[in-house]
Amino acid sequence: MTVSEVIIDVLGDSFTKVVTLSGPSHAEEVIQGQPTTLVAASSNFDAAKYIQILFSNPVLRTYANPDIKGVELGGSMKNVIAIAAGICDGIGYGDNTKAALLTRGMTEISRLGVKMGASPATFNGLSGIGDLIVTCLSQHSRNRKVGQAIGEGKTLDQVLSEMKMVAEGVKSAKSVHQLRQKYEVNMPICEAIYQILFEGKNPKKSVTDLMARELRLEN
Amino acid sequence: MTVSEVIIDVLGDSFTKVVTLSGPSHAEEVIQGQPTTLVAASSNFDAAKYIQILFSNPVLRTYANPDIKGVELGGSMKNVIAIAAGICDGIGYGDNTKAALLTRGMTEISRLGVKMGASPATFNGLSGIGDLIVTCLSQHSRNRKVGQAIGEGKTLDQVLSEMKMVAEGVKSAKSVHQLRQKYEVNMPICEAIYQILFEGKNPKKSVTDLMARELRLEN
């Protein structure tokens, strides 16, 4: 369940004013007044509009989006791809490989999200690819860091025992694995991440296997 | 005209075997054998397939795409957004602003491309956002460098007179400006780049103006 689904599960269906605020927004930069964009998503248009206006000022620009499901799914599933980008750094691969992982990874997430009822455009927006870009640019992202350590040869247990903070993407990788099976969606990159994290598959071997798959159409 | 349109203009409509090869692929990394993905685009499926197979090996994975128009437009127009990302670096803005520019910039390009007959999915693929990510990650991108110098306060004439290589995005910014008017598409980020490059608009003021526009839906 997404957070908004949990809230409605507790408060009842008649409570429709749940708004999710998401987007590429390192808190450190927001507080410095760096220009930042966000998305306020809700199935209730008035509620989204209210939060949009509240969170807009000369350095903060918030867009409204009715697709709360897409915003929540993109915002959590992109952390799995951030781990993949970190693995790429850990192995020592360059920008070509990372850009391929981000792009094709987001295509997979969008494919699953659409099957779950979200809109494809949302995944190509601020809460999807936008947030993924900021996560992967950042040296501070915990998900990217977990990936990097694993790419350097550590096991997930070693990495997690050395961390004080939570790297959400590790749990999301498990959820994506389950959802992928439930909705029968082909997600080779997310599946590779799952196998690296939980089944001890060698990261470099995983990339080789991903590259060697049957040739396909892009879309 | 795109390159494939020029080729067909010269060779005649009966020549359909034009294939465009594009995607996030720094040549320096390809030669090192870093895993890299590409798109082979052609309206002729057999021709695309031929190039796809020719350009696939254990470190090179090529996808086929029938949308040659989208691949060519995305590949050239993304350079305008790369200039914007460089301007962002030159002013000293952080990752939040850059991620916003990349995401919303690509939304604008996709909007124009779709009006010109391309498929929206192509702009979210390897030749669109994928190539834009690799360009903006790179310290070597000429388009990003032009933007950075302008963000630091130089004029376009100063920057170009100091450069030996061609920064394609400068010319593409002019083409996008013309196409935007012809197809009547709202492209505030691309328009701001045009004004900064050719009308001497202050880059920081441009960002302030972009942030202050009327609040909107994300899609």
Side-chain angles (χ1 to χ4, degrees), chain A residues 70 73-74 77 81 103-124 185 187 190, chain B residues 124:
Chain A
L73 290 178
M77 296 200 287
I81 310 302
T103 310
R104 296 299 308 171
M106 214 53 211
T107 302
E108 291 183 6
I109 283 176
S110 175
R111 218 183 279 150
L112 174 59
V114 168
K115 272 233 176 169
M116 293 174 73
S119 154
T122 304
F123 297 97
N124 302 314
V185 181
M187 304 180 76
C190 291
Chain B
N124 302 314

Side-chain angles (χ1 to χ4, degrees), chain A:
Chain A
M1 291 170 89
T2 64
V3 174
S4 78
E5 286 168 352
V6 173
I7 291 173
I8 288 168
D9 189 53
V10 172
L11 296 183
D13 280 348
S14 63
F15 186 82
T16 63
K17 292 188 186 174
V18 191
V19 183
T20 294
L21 197 63
S22 189
S25 47
H26 287 311
E28 303 87 331
E29 296 186 3
V30 173
I31 204 77
Q32 288 167 2
Q34 303 268 12
T36 298
T37 53
L38 293 169
V39 181
S42 178
S43 54
N44 181 318
F45 183 75
D46 289 337
K49 194 83 205 156
Y50 180 82
I51 297 296
Q52 178 182 35
I53 294 169
L54 197 64
F55 283 85
S56 288
N57 68 34
V59 289
L60 203 57
R61 179 169 170 81
T62 299
Y63 291 83
N65 190 332
D67 182 21
I68 184 166
K69 184 146 211 160
V71 165
E72 290 187 292
L73 290 178
S76 82
M77 296 200 287
K78 67 108 177 64
N79 292 320
V80 181
I81 310 302
I83 294 180
I87 291 176
C88 205
D89 288 337
I91 296 179
Y93 287 144
D95 295 341
N96 291 2
T97 313
K98 201 190 269 189
L101 277 174
L102 296 191
T103 310
R104 296 299 308 171
M106 214 53 211
T107 302
E108 291 183 6
I109 283 176
S110 175
R111 218 183 279 150
L112 174 59
V114 168
K115 272 233 176 169
M116 293 174 73
S119 154
T122 304
F123 297 97
N124 302 314
L126 294 166
S127 58
I129 192 78
D131 207 357
L132 180 58
I133 290 170
V134 93
T135 300
C136 295
L137 286 175
S138 164
Q139 294 306 311
H140 308 292
S141 157
R142 287 160 273 162
N143 294 302
R144 206 198 56 76
K145 271 190 188 165
V146 166
Q148 178 158 0
I150 287 171
E152 287 165 353
K154 291 193 178 169
T155 67
L156 181 62
D157 285 344
Q158 284 176 308
V159 179
L160 294 184
S161 69
E162 288 164 13
M163 267 183 102
K164 291 235 168 57
M165 293 165 95
V166 177
E168 239 188 275
V170 175
K171 287 187 180 168
S172 301
K174 223 173 234 175
S175 305
V176 169
H177 173 73
Q178 289 162 354
L179 290 167
R180 181 189 75 77
Q181 291 178 317
K182 180 174 169 189
Y183 289 92
E184 297 177 348
V185 181
N186 184 30
M187 304 180 76
I189 295 174
C190 291
E191 198 49 24
I193 304 307
Y194 179 83
Q195 291 170 343
I196 292 169
L197 293 178
F198 301 110
E199 297 175 354
K201 182 160 182 182
N202 179 280
K204 221 164 172 172
K205 173 80 171 78
S206 298
V207 174
T208 311
D209 289 351
L210 282 172
M211 296 296 286
R213 282 172 306 134
E214 197 191 335
L215 294 177
R216 302 187 57 156
L217 284 170
E218 188 177 23
N219 299 305

Side-chain angles (χ1 to χ4, degrees), chain B residues 36-219:
Chain B
T36 299
T37 52
L38 293 169
V39 181
S42 178
S43 54
N44 181 318
F45 183 75
D46 289 337
K49 194 84 204 156
Y50 180 82
I51 297 296
Q52 177 182 34
I53 294 170
L54 197 63
F55 283 85
S56 288
N57 67 35
V59 290
L60 201 58
R61 180 170 169 80
T62 299
Y63 292 83
N65 191 332
D67 182 22
I68 185 167
K69 183 145 212 160
V71 165
E72 289 187 293
L73 290 178
S76 83
M77 296 200 288
K78 67 108 178 63
N79 292 321
V80 181
I81 310 302
I83 294 180
I87 291 176
C88 204
D89 288 336
I91 296 179
Y93 287 145
D95 296 341
N96 291 2
T97 313
K98 200 190 270 189
L101 277 174
L102 263 54
T103 310
R104 296 298 308 171
M106 215 51 212
T107 302
E108 291 183 6
I109 283 175
S110 175
R111 218 184 279 149
L112 173 59
V114 168
K115 273 233 175 168
M116 293 174 73
S119 154
T122 304
F123 298 96
N124 302 314
L126 294 167
S127 58
I129 191 78
D131 207 357
L132 179 58
I133 290 170
V134 93
T135 301
C136 294
L137 284 176
S138 163
Q139 293 306 310
H140 308 292
S141 157
R142 287 161 273 164
N143 294 301
R144 206 199 57 76
K145 270 190 188 165
V146 166
Q148 179 158 0
I150 287 171
E152 286 165 355
K154 292 193 177 167
T155 66
L156 181 61
D157 285 343
Q158 284 176 308
V159 179
L160 294 184
S161 69
E162 289 164 12
M163 266 182 104
K164 291 232 169 56
M165 293 166 95
V166 178
E168 238 188 275
V170 175
K171 287 188 179 167
S172 302
K174 224 172 232 174
S175 304
V176 169
H177 173 73
Q178 289 162 353
L179 290 166
R180 182 190 74 77
Q181 291 178 316
K182 179 174 169 190
Y183 288 93
E184 297 178 347
V185 181
N186 184 29
M187 303 180 76
I189 294 174
C190 292
E191 197 49 25
I193 304 308
Y194 179 83
Q195 291 170 342
I196 292 168
L197 292 178
F198 302 109
E199 297 176 352
K201 184 161 181 180
N202 179 279
K204 221 164 172 173
K205 173 79 170 77
S206 297
V207 175
T208 311
D209 289 350
L210 282 172
M211 297 295 287
R213 282 171 305 134
E214 197 191 333
L215 294 177
R216 301 187 58 157
L217 286 170
E218 188 178 24
N219 298 305

